[in-house]
Amino acid sequence: WILRDESTLGPKWQHAMVWQSPQSRVVVFGGRDGSGAFTNETLTWDDDAWVPLPAGVSPSARADHALSDAFGLPGCDVVMFGGQTPSGGLLDDTWALQGDTWTEQLLTPRPTPRGGHTMAFDTPRQRVVLFGGFVNTPQGLAYSSETWELLIFNSQLRWRLRTPIASPPARFAHASAYDPLRRRVVIFGGWNSTGPLNDTWEWDGIAWTQLSGTMPPARYYHVMYYDALLGGLVVAGGSRGSVPAEYFADRWLLTQSGWVQLQDLEGGARWAFGAVASPETGQVVLAGGATSRADTWVTTYAPVFVSQPSDQSLSSGDNLTLSAFSSGGNVTYQWFRGEQPLSNSARIGGAT
């Protein structure tokens, strides 16, 4: 991890972060500043600093909203839904970000007003999956266990309420992400009337299934992202919500055989922050956190060979092409014959 910036984000927490595929960039919207005030600024990460989008139409100020990649849905690179207003109200608006332009999508039906929900893009099925959050009821605020999907219907965007036989318990401030290896949307943790949660569920488009085995400690206001270089979903940070408050700096990787603990986050424990991994390079961008974090950290991975050919035997006059592949960037390499390094020549190309 490298500390890349300490100021241009400004103190920010309860914001939302997402990868915008066509522009190959990380986007942040909204959240609270160091004083607790709600914001409606849109920032993009340029590898060294956060840059505001050009002035234009913008969603209103909010926190506890959700952003999702939506590239492939009409008129959408990114979709946003809901959130909490500065006055404590809840929102039920849907916005699409395409390029640098926000456009409100006036959709009916749609989820009820809510905050603290999550959204993740099921890329193969081309739909955004929304789960949970806190909602208004006649008795006051309550936690939701609803599953909604934003999809294409008759060439238009449409929200659809799903009614699976079983659902995860109601919650808010959980985390979700799409796992391309499992081909599932996964949720972990959150908070409900029982306190912090540490259960893991996956959605296959039809049913929710709870995973078993070792779980990370219970938490809420944490992050989850898919790390292509590690080959799985990562959960990091968050709060236990106990008194006195306890915050996490740990990271956990969801492998095909279960959760395993990784090295802790640099920069210390944090909650209500954001983290996004680039699907192109695998680099993770982590930013902000309650209640006055303004730092931005990025991962760097030393390039390593992930595939090399086995030893080969040749007869005089034979031709052979050998290939090797690396992850994490370009590498300097040298081919050998036995223990002798090869040099580029009339008969050998690509030895170095």
Side-chain angles (χ1 to χ4, degrees):
W1 290 91
I2 295 177
L3 178 60
R4 187 61 61 84
D5 180 70
E6 295 184 87
S7 61
T8 59
L9 180 72
K12 195 176 291 292
W13 54 293
Q14 289 184 348
H15 51 291
M17 287 176 59
V18 70
W19 178 258
Q20 188 178 13
S21 295
Q23 282 68 34
S24 298
R25 66 188 183 186
V26 177
V27 176
V28 161
F29 179 81
R32 303 188 189 203
D33 64 19
S35 70
F38 288 62
T39 76
N40 73 330
E41 62 181 354
T42 305
L43 303 173
T44 64
W45 177 246
D46 71 356
D47 294 328
D48 290 303
W50 291 98
V51 180
L53 277 192
V57 175
S58 174
S60 59
R62 67 193 66 200
D64 274 331
H65 49 294
L67 288 175
S68 173
D69 174 29
F71 184 56
L73 299 184
C76 303
D77 299 340
V78 166
V79 166
M80 180 175 70
F81 181 82
Q84 188 172 29
T85 70
S87 63
L90 298 177
L91 297 164
D92 64 349
D93 51 348
T94 304
W95 289 79
L97 176 65
Q98 189 170 41
D100 291 345
T101 303
W102 283 105
T103 305
E104 186 172 4
Q105 309 295 304
L106 302 176
L107 305 178
T108 303
R110 59 183 178 270
T112 55
R114 68 191 60 213
H117 50 290
T118 61
M119 298 197 302
F121 191 44
D122 186 332
T123 307
R125 297 174 58 241
Q126 288 288 284
R127 56 198 62 195
V128 175
V129 179
L130 180 154
F131 181 79
F134 51 86
V135 298
N136 287 313
T137 72
Q139 292 74 40
L141 286 179
Y143 305 115
S144 171
S145 61
E146 290 180 334
T147 302
W148 287 80
E149 290 185 333
L150 181 66
L151 47 83
I152 304 172
F153 182 78
N154 289 338
S155 302
Q156 302 292 322
L157 288 177
R158 180 175 179 178
W159 282 106
R160 181 174 67 166
L161 175 63
R162 302 302 305 271
T163 55
I165 295 175
S167 292
R171 68 194 65 204
F172 88 105
H174 48 290
S176 72
Y178 179 73
D179 187 333
L181 297 182
R182 293 175 176 272
R183 299 179 66 86
R184 305 284 192 274
V185 169
V186 177
I187 67 169
F188 172 79
W191 179 281
N192 65 17
S193 58
T194 68
L197 304 169
N198 75 330
D199 50 345
T200 305
W201 294 76
E202 58 181 21
W203 170 252
D204 65 2
I206 299 175
W208 285 103
T209 302
Q210 185 173 8
L211 303 186
S212 59
T214 301
M215 298 288 158
R219 68 192 65 203
Y220 70 125
Y221 280 124
H222 49 289
V223 297
M224 179 189 286
Y225 57 85
Y226 180 76
D227 192 314
L229 298 181
L230 294 177
L233 294 177
V234 173
V235 157
S239 171
R240 189 189 299 275
S242 54
V243 180
E246 182 179 356
Y247 307 119
F248 293 102
D250 57 347
R251 292 189 304 148
W252 292 78
L253 175 69
L254 181 59
T255 69
Q256 294 304 299
S257 56
W259 288 102
V260 294
Q261 191 166 3
L262 303 172
Q263 183 177 353
D264 283 0
L265 291 169
E266 294 287 345
R270 67 183 69 211
W271 63 286
F273 61 108
V276 171
S278 163
E280 299 172 359
T281 67
Q283 184 180 72
V284 180
V285 179
L286 181 154
T291 55
S292 58
R293 302 292 295 257
D295 49 342
T296 300
W297 295 75
V298 299
T299 55
T300 58
Y301 293 96
V304 295
F305 281 110
V306 296
S307 176
Q308 299 187 57
S310 58
D311 292 343
Q312 304 287 330
S313 297
L314 295 179
S315 299
S316 178
D318 286 350
N319 293 319
L320 178 67
T321 299
L322 302 175
S323 299
F325 299 92
S326 68
S327 68
N330 296 325
V331 296
T332 300
Y333 63 92
Q334 171 70 61
W335 290 105
F336 286 80
R337 178 177 181 267
E339 295 183 357
Q340 297 300 314
L342 296 174
S343 300
N344 294 326
S345 66
R347 294 190 175 186
I348 300 175
T352 59

